[in-house]
Amino acid sequence: MVDTLPPLSLYIHTPWCVRKCPYCDFNSHEPDTHGFTPRDLPEAAYLDALLQDLDGDLALAAGREIQTIFIGGGTPSLLSPAFYARLLTEIEARLPFANPIEITLEANPGTTEQQRFIGYREAGINRLSLGIQSFQPAQLHALGRIHSGQEAVTAVTQARQAGFTNINVDLMHGLPEQTPQLAMDDIEQALALAPEHLSWYQLTLEPNTAFHSHPPILPEEESLWDIQDSGHQLLEQAGFKRYEISAYAHIGHQSRHNLNYWQFGDYLGIGAGAHGKLSYIDQSGEWCIERRWKTRQPDAYLKRMNDLRGFVAGKQLISVDELPLEFAMNALRLTEGVTLNTWRTHTGQSDAMLLARLQSAEKKGLLMQMPEKLRASPQGLLFLNELLASICDESSVKSDQR
Amino acid sequence: MTQENDSKIKHIRNFSIIAHIDHGKSTLSDRLIQTCEGLTERELKEQVLDSMDIERERGITIKAQSVTLDYTAADGQVYQLNFIDTPGHVDFSYEVSRSLYACEGALLVVDAAQGVEAQSVANCYTAIEQGLEVLPVLNKIDLPQADCDKVSQEIEEIIGLDATDACRVSAKSGIGIDTLLERLVRDIPPPKGDPDAPLQALIIDSWFDNYLGVVSLVRLFDGTLRKGDKIRIKSTGRDWGTTEVGIFTPQRKQTNILRAGEVGFIVAGIKEIHGAPVGDTITHTKTPDVARLPGFQKVKPQVYAGMFPVSADDYEDFRDALEKLALNDASLEYVPENSDALGFGFRVGFLGTLHMEIVQERLEREYNIDLLTTAPTVVYELAMKNGDVNYVSNPSKLPDMADVDEMREPVVRASILVPQEYVGNVITECEQRRGTQRDMQFLGNQIQLAYELPMSEVVMDFFDRLKSISKGYASLEYNFERFEEAKLVRLDVLINGDKVDALAVIIHRDHAHPRGRLLVEKMKELIPRQMFDVAIQAAIGGQVVARSTVKALRKNVTAKCYGGDVSRKKKLLEKQKAGKKRMKQVGRVEIPQDAFLAVLKVND
């Protein structure tokens, strides 16, 4: 039965940052407020906790091969190479690794040095994701970043020297006081570093962030549109291919880990506040998909060591009714979409059940008319939220009829 | 007639209180009830007669109710005082005349600080016409601004009632209440009638009670009614057995008997109010030939509006709720209506816009139904070229104008009483609303204006507007006068070329352009940006008189979405979906409810 389940990835969360950025709504915490310094994090305790956390998830995942690992944060590069070396060894002792496996580490250009990169590479990490965001002092300052543009350049150089051949650069656009020209300069500088992958996000103001309560002045809508349009062209001209709303890559360098999310694959999530999604076949032969999430606060998470409650803060089965939306939310982010077969193999449900929910989106011209494919039209990619909301609508119509 | 019966009827006094809103009718009635010990202190809830929540909140009476009080007068005799409450808002003036019909007298209560108001004048005339003894009462005499002499003079000048020895009271503090009760017993005549004659009783009001069925408030003119009697409703010819007979104290109290001259309730197993129509006559089954009392004119709705459930799933509940409301509100009319934009609903007729607001509020509050109400419209008369005369109360049902010879709008005669310093404002307002002045009289410190005004101008927000331009002093009373030809047009609203039926209004041609401009601008503010440009046009016939555009959004997509935050992103989408559910679809365009209400609010 196990071979029929979707591919499995592993997400590892590290919850600490030197400084919380005002736009960031991830589960990240400044260690100072928790009694540590960024150079003196409770690595040993966290490592033990992560492994115990993983052991708690093994019941449903034992024997399944791990395709990719992504270490995100927070700022994973605050933790030492030795930490990761041991962590990855221990994980492999519990779950088989695919060959080749993709192991990504997120790094902040302000927290790295040559030795660390070498250590990470030696620990088995083979992909780096650098949170550069911008190269311009004004924008970096507005974003509250702890590094300069020059440090970002240095970080990439060091990573290359350490042997990383698969590097992602995170860039943001639509930043405070950013003109279209400044945004293009950022892209040009990123391209000069020749990354394999480029994640290019528009800054959005999320709830529970400093920016949400004290919003910065952002470029006007037409200017944003201009940035998006020119930036896209610039990237494509440089040989990058946009494969997801905000993700660009050279051929063969798409993020396998993120692709697995967007194709509705399975993933374990360990670490403070990590989310996982796991499919399994229950005793009655029913296909079940469970989401579970872990205790969020780093201190509380550490205290769950040897606690009978375990690390899980909550779990929920995705009801069959929710599947079309859950699937589309992910799959339709991919510019090429997915095949209908992906729906079948990743949810265990019939095509008809999905197609019934897509009718109004189809009518609005938000989907491509391609048999055996689920893919947003160019308009659908621009208005993905509209598209998804129309899927919700149908589910509500259906439940109302009941 | 026996001596005993004769003495009984001589000790009955049936009366109403005529008063403008805020002039203290409720306080006075509470005080009367308390003084006669109809209720103990503890039981005396504030404003006991206004029992509906909405009545209490808005401080107005909508339905007539009654209370029977025993009063021991200075002469040592016990009198039965039957106080029949009357509504105090212009929308409900018809209810007043029917309450008055059951009385021999009325107290005209005037705020000694504010003076006479138009509504009271009109009701007072009705009382005098019906031959009632009207007792002027000056209330709130303990207020520092009270000017009893001036107000007495006003009563004499405006109403023509001798007010030299008007009772001066303060219902709030109890001053003068004893004198008032004595005067009431002395001046208001006892009813006439023979308890031994065949039963002849008038239905003053009927309402539906969930436990008892229909309860009717009745005034007996002749005869005696006992529990268990077989009765006949004259108009329907149907017979019923009375199961309960009694009075309100103000709680319902069974006495098992009512005699000529008395006011009380009966319950006879009737299941719907149309089975005991207001104004009908009741007699005994055994005396079917008793004459019908002159009833009341059936009131016709003056204002119509479409009401649509926000969620189509509520349609059935909405229909049930309207049915239930109509059980207690004979003036409420409704027929199914189907709107392209708003789906299935009802066209509902009301006595006025306040009545409309109250009905909407009750439906939403008591029956928990979210409603969208379209702009209220009056009834227009259409003289067709083929000689037919049609009436239209729904702008979207207006026939092809090529077939219409003449379009006529209802015109009312409005009487407005206003202190001199605000008369300029009031005249300006009336002129703007296409009014024609018919009369202007100086009455003491106040001026009485008579205007002919299109009813459509009066029902919208005229009353509120009058109040606000006169610091609350102006008062209004109006009656339908006639239909009159007018240059009327239908102003349509088109969204991306589709006519939105629920937004159409019938309007005077001279007002159509500015209103069209205001309307499209307001709609532009309220319609959210969508995937495409949304053109909003106001048009008369084929001619566009105003337009504006809601520019398309460039995009609507979440920049980031990874495994971990899927549930959060999903919640956002569900919020968006909930918002969409409250939107109405016109063609491809999603329109929020607020935009439909914009038609009502362009004057703000």
Side-chain angles (χ1 to χ4, degrees):
Chain A
M1 249 350 223
V2 167
D3 340 319
T4 68
L5 292 171
L8 179 68
S9 290
L10 169 65
Y11 175 77
I12 302 168
H13 192 75
T14 60
W16 296 287
C17 276
V18 174
R19 194 162 83 203
K20 176 97 179 171
C21 299
Y23 58 87
C24 171
D25 67 336
F26 287 134
N27 184 28
S28 60
H29 303 263
E30 293 177 14
D32 307 11
T33 60
H34 294 260
F36 311 114
T37 69
R39 293 279 163 207
D40 174 31
L41 293 170
E43 282 195 359
Y46 199 62
L47 181 72
D48 290 345
L50 285 174
L51 293 171
Q52 207 174 85
D53 183 355
L54 178 62
D55 287 338
D57 286 350
L58 282 184
L60 288 177
R64 291 176 64 179
E65 195 174 70
I66 299 286
Q67 304 297 316
T68 66
I69 295 175
F70 194 101
I71 304 155
T75 307
S77 52
L78 285 178
L79 298 170
S80 69
F83 170 88
Y84 291 112
R86 221 194 110 203
L87 177 64
L88 293 171
T89 308
E90 293 285 348
I91 293 169
E92 199 172 5
R94 289 162 171 82
L95 287 165
F97 282 10
N99 187 19
I101 186 170
E102 175 193 277
I103 303 178
T104 307
L105 178 97
E106 280 187 331
N108 183 317
T111 63
T112 55
E113 56 201 60
Q114 183 74 45
Q115 274 313 307
R116 286 217 154 198
F117 282 132
I118 293 169
Y120 292 146
R121 189 71 195 82
E122 281 170 355
I125 292 160
N126 55 22
R127 186 172 180 270
L128 268 189
S129 177
L130 288 164
I132 290 175
Q133 319 310 359
S134 175
F135 294 94
Q136 317 296 331
Q139 278 70 42
L140 285 170
H141 178 76
L143 291 177
R145 301 295 294 181
I146 58 168
H147 55 86
S148 66
Q150 189 48 49
E151 277 175 299
V153 175
T154 307
V156 176
T157 315
Q158 288 171 342
R160 288 284 184 217
Q161 282 169 3
F164 280 100
T165 56
N166 195 358
I167 294 178
N168 167 57
V169 165
D170 264 358
L171 267 193
M172 294 173 94
H173 65 274
L175 305 177
E177 286 166 52
Q178 188 182 49
T179 60
Q181 187 53 52
L182 283 173
M184 294 317 109
D185 290 351
D186 271 350
I187 294 180
E188 298 277 10
Q189 293 194 52
L191 290 174
L193 301 174
E196 282 70 28
H197 190 286
L198 211 149
S199 297
W200 192 52
Y201 303 105
Q202 183 181 336
L203 170 65
T204 49
L205 308 185
E206 301 295 331
N208 307 315
T209 63
F211 272 0
H212 196 261
S213 39
H214 299 95
I217 297 170
L218 299 179
E220 297 289 332
E221 187 184 18
E222 286 311 303
S223 177
L224 287 173
W225 180 250
D226 201 9
I227 291 174
Q228 166 141 340
D229 205 33
S230 329
H232 175 74
Q233 284 180 35
L234 199 54
L235 287 165
E236 298 257 329
Q237 279 159 17
F240 279 93
K241 172 97 181 70
R242 181 190 186 205
Y243 70 100
E244 187 259 0
I245 300 289
S246 307
Y248 291 79
H250 282 300
I251 304 296
H253 285 93
Q254 297 177 343
S255 161
R256 281 169 58 198
H257 185 86
N258 289 340
L259 264 181
N260 188 48
Y261 287 145
W262 295 323
Q263 288 168 345
F264 211 55
D266 280 357
Y267 48 95
L268 298 169
I270 60 171
H275 285 243
K277 165 193 169 277
L278 207 62
S279 312
Y280 61 92
I281 312 289
D282 74 4
Q283 288 139 333
S284 60
E286 196 83 8
W287 186 305
C288 300
I289 305 177
E290 184 202 272
R291 289 196 182 284
R292 60 168 67 181
W293 51 98
K294 308 295 170 57
T295 301
R296 209 175 138 81
Q297 290 294 327
D299 299 353
Y301 179 83
L302 286 169
K303 284 194 189 119
R304 290 292 178 99
M305 271 288 284
N306 304 321
D307 185 316
L308 281 177
R309 289 171 293 174
F311 295 88
V312 177
K315 49 182 165 184
Q316 199 168 27
L317 285 177
I318 306 176
S319 73
V320 172
D321 206 45
E322 295 172 283
L323 280 175
L325 175 62
E326 292 248 0
F327 184 79
M329 268 177 77
N330 289 288
L332 288 174
R333 296 187 68 81
L334 296 168
T335 54
E336 298 285 328
V338 294
T339 60
L340 273 182
N341 189 48
T342 311
W343 159 261
R344 292 189 287 265
T345 56
H346 287 62
T347 65
Q349 303 298 325
S350 73
D351 293 358
M353 136 150 235
L354 176 67
L355 297 176
R357 302 291 181 83
L358 299 175
Q359 283 169 4
S360 96
E362 232 157 22
K363 249 183 259 160
K364 290 182 184 169
L366 299 174
L367 285 171
M368 296 291 252
Q369 305 272 351
M370 299 170 88
E372 280 303 307
K373 259 221 140 166
L374 177 68
R375 180 176 161 185
S377 68
Q379 174 86 342
L381 276 179
L382 285 174
F383 291 95
L384 188 57
N385 288 347
E386 293 277 343
L387 198 173
L388 297 173
S390 75
I391 294 175
C392 295
D393 276 344
E394 273 160 275
S395 78
S396 71
V397 166
K398 229 174 167 188
S399 60
D400 285 348
Q401 280 167 351
R402 238 177 276 146
Chain B
M1 195 186 296
T2 65
Q3 195 95 48
E4 190 206 357
N5 280 340
D6 190 37
S7 154
K8 269 214 171 95
I9 201 163
K10 278 195 170 140
H11 288 83
I12 296 174
R13 299 291 182 272
N14 295 318
F15 69 101
S16 283
I17 297 179
I18 297 170
H20 196 81
I21 302 171
D22 299 337
H23 280 202
K25 183 182 65 173
S26 295
T27 319
L28 180 60
S29 48
D30 289 354
R31 182 60 70 181
L32 292 178
I33 293 167
Q34 202 199 348
T35 307
C36 297
E37 286 176 304
L39 279 184
T40 63
E41 278 285 355
R42 196 173 53 82
E43 285 171 322
L44 186 75
K45 252 201 286 172
E46 241 198 305
Q47 302 187 6
V48 270
L49 291 185
D50 295 345
S51 59
M52 269 196 275
D53 275 356
I54 294 169
E55 290 191 356
R56 210 169 298 136
E57 272 168 34
R58 292 181 177 238
I60 52 170
T61 306
I62 299 165
K63 304 286 293 178
Q65 291 209 36
S66 79
V67 58
T68 298
L69 304 169
D70 282 338
Y71 171 62
T72 310
D75 60 11
Q77 313 243 17
V78 179
Y79 290 84
Q80 185 195 96
L81 308 185
N82 292 311
F83 164 41
I84 296 146
D85 203 9
T86 56
H89 188 276
V90 60
D91 272 10
F92 300 99
S93 52
Y94 85 102
E95 297 254 6
V96 174
S97 60
R98 101 187 180 203
S99 307
L100 294 177
Y101 199 82
C103 303
E104 281 73 41
L107 308 182
L108 169 67
V109 176
V110 181
D111 187 323
Q114 290 203 45
V116 178
E117 308 226 9
Q119 182 82 59
S120 304
V121 178
N123 289 337
C124 201
Y125 285 153
T126 311
I128 293 167
E129 271 166 37
Q130 293 186 8
L132 269 62
E133 181 67 33
V134 178
L135 246 61
V137 178
L138 307 184
N139 191 21
K140 307 194 187 179
I141 58 163
D142 51 345
L143 287 183
Q145 350 34 320
D147 187 343
C148 293
D149 293 337
K150 199 185 89 191
V151 173
S152 295
Q153 198 190 335
E154 246 184 43
I155 294 174
E156 287 178 23
E157 283 177 7
I158 299 175
I159 303 175
L161 212 60
D162 182 8
T164 39
D165 60 346
C167 283
R168 299 182 175 193
V169 307
S170 164
K172 202 167 180 189
S173 62
I175 302 168
I177 298 299
D178 292 335
T179 319
L180 172 60
L181 282 164
E182 285 299 315
R183 288 279 291 280
L184 200 156
V185 167
R186 188 192 80 191
D187 293 347
I188 292 179
K192 296 189 181 78
D194 182 355
D196 300 324
L199 177 66
Q200 193 188 32
L202 178 76
I203 302 177
I204 305 168
D205 198 5
S206 288
W207 60 93
F208 188 82
D209 182 288
N210 282 338
Y211 300 102
L212 302 170
V214 173
V215 179
S216 292
L217 183 67
V218 296
R219 158 72 196 268
L220 269 67
F221 283 89
D222 268 325
T224 301
L225 177 66
R226 288 185 176 79
K227 179 179 174 180
D229 284 357
K230 278 259 180 222
I231 57 161
R232 170 166 297 188
I233 307 289
K234 287 288 290 184
S235 72
T236 65
R238 286 196 64 180
D239 294 333
W240 305 86
T242 48
T243 54
E244 278 192 27
V245 172
I247 56 172
F248 291 103
T249 67
Q251 291 99 333
R252 204 177 70 242
K253 181 180 164 190
Q254 295 198 48
T255 57
N256 300 333
I257 185 163
L258 285 173
R259 295 184 189 81
E262 290 184 326
V263 175
F265 72 86
I266 65 161
V267 178
I270 300 172
K271 291 286 174 268
E272 50 158 25
I273 48 166
H274 305 292
V278 170
D280 212 327
T281 304
I282 297 176
T283 187
H284 280 122
T285 305
K286 61 186 185 217
T287 57
D289 297 330
V290 162
R292 276 183 76 170
L293 290 157
F296 318 116
Q297 212 180 343
K298 163 111 173 90
V299 278
K300 282 201 204 106
Q302 313 223 4
V303 179
Y304 289 80
M307 289 185 132
F308 298 87
V310 169
S311 159
D313 308 339
D314 284 345
Y315 179 77
E316 304 276 310
D317 290 344
F318 178 36
R319 193 191 52 207
D320 292 349
L322 267 178
E323 239 167 59
K324 278 188 192 139
L325 274 189
L327 279 179
N328 270 338
D329 188 346
S331 55
L332 193 67
E333 271 184 12
Y334 59 97
V335 291
E337 180 179 7
N338 186 9
S339 154
D340 297 338
L342 303 179
F344 290 102
F346 289 92
R347 192 88 194 151
V348 190
F350 307 96
L351 300 171
T353 44
L354 178 77
H355 188 210
M356 177 173 102
E357 279 171 35
I358 287 169
V359 168
Q360 164 140 15
E361 215 171 304
R362 290 191 63 187
L363 286 167
E364 295 196 332
R365 198 185 301 186
E366 295 169 30
Y367 297 92
N368 210 10
I369 298 165
D370 269 342
L371 288 173
L372 247 172
T373 305
T374 64
T377 176
V378 296
V379 181
Y380 294 92
E381 187 176 83
L382 306 181
M384 308 300 288
K385 286 194 171 139
N386 64 9
D388 288 357
V389 174
N390 292 342
Y391 293 89
V392 171
S393 60
N394 185 345
S396 65
K397 296 276 155 56
L398 213 56
D400 187 344
M401 291 314 281
D403 300 332
V404 179
D405 185 34
E406 196 174 280
M407 200 165 161
R408 303 175 191 135
E409 66 179 338
V411 171
V412 301
R413 190 179 173 97
S415 167
I416 301 159
L417 265 181
V418 62
Q420 282 185 27
E421 55 261 53
Y422 308 111
V423 77
N425 291 350
V426 171
I427 287 175
T428 309
E429 187 66 28
C430 288
E431 302 293 330
Q432 275 171 4
R433 291 177 186 252
R434 301 188 281 128
T436 313
Q437 201 182 98
R438 288 294 176 222
D439 193 22
M440 176 152 117
Q441 280 186 39
F442 292 78
L443 301 165
N445 209 26
Q446 297 209 75
I447 288 177
Q448 184 168 37
L449 289 166
Y451 263 90
E452 279 185 3
L453 283 151
M455 189 188 276
S456 60
E457 300 282 350
V458 177
V459 294
M460 280 301 266
D461 54 355
F462 186 52
F463 189 59
D464 294 342
R465 186 80 192 122
L466 270 187
K467 285 283 174 199
S468 79
I469 58 175
S470 68
K471 296 217 168 100
Y473 283 107
S475 56
L476 165 74
E477 148 67 26
Y478 64 85
N479 282 302
F480 171 76
E481 190 84 0
R482 63 176 182 281
F483 280 103
E484 191 175 282
E485 192 196 356
K487 294 173 187 159
L488 298 167
V489 292
R490 185 176 71 199
L491 185 67
D492 286 314
V493 174
L494 291 86
I495 307 268
N496 273 6
D498 291 326
K499 239 183 234 180
V500 185
D501 54 2
L503 288 174
V505 288
I506 294 173
I507 189 171
H508 194 269
R509 196 194 294 158
D510 296 348
H511 291 184
H513 286 238
R515 193 177 165 97
R517 277 193 295 276
L518 276 172
L519 186 57
V520 296
E521 280 315 310
K522 193 98 187 176
M523 299 275 294
K524 185 186 170 180
E525 286 167 27
L526 295 169
I527 296 180
R529 298 171 62 194
Q530 330 222 338
M531 289 189 284
F532 36 80
D533 283 355
V534 176
I536 307 162
Q537 296 169 306
I540 300 168
Q543 190 205 351
V544 174
V545 299
R547 67 171 296 148
S548 69
T549 305
V550 180
K551 291 291 287 174
L553 271 176
R554 287 296 200 168
K555 58 176 184 171
N556 178 12
V557 53
T558 309
K560 266 188 181 186
C561 182
Y562 294 116
D565 43 16
V566 160
S567 28
R568 215 154 36 92
K569 297 282 182 320
K570 211 175 118 192
K571 264 183 204 144
L572 286 177
L573 279 170
E574 261 147 20
K575 234 184 195 171
Q576 190 171 344
K577 154 197 143 188
K580 276 187 187 297
K581 218 181 162 185
R582 285 195 299 271
M583 302 253 216
K584 295 287 178 181
Q585 190 95 19
V586 173
R588 293 194 297 158
V589 185
E590 278 152 351
I591 303 181
Q593 290 173 54
D594 291 0
F596 288 96
L597 303 177
V599 194
L600 307 176
K601 290 180 185 150
V602 283
N603 296 332
D604 293 359

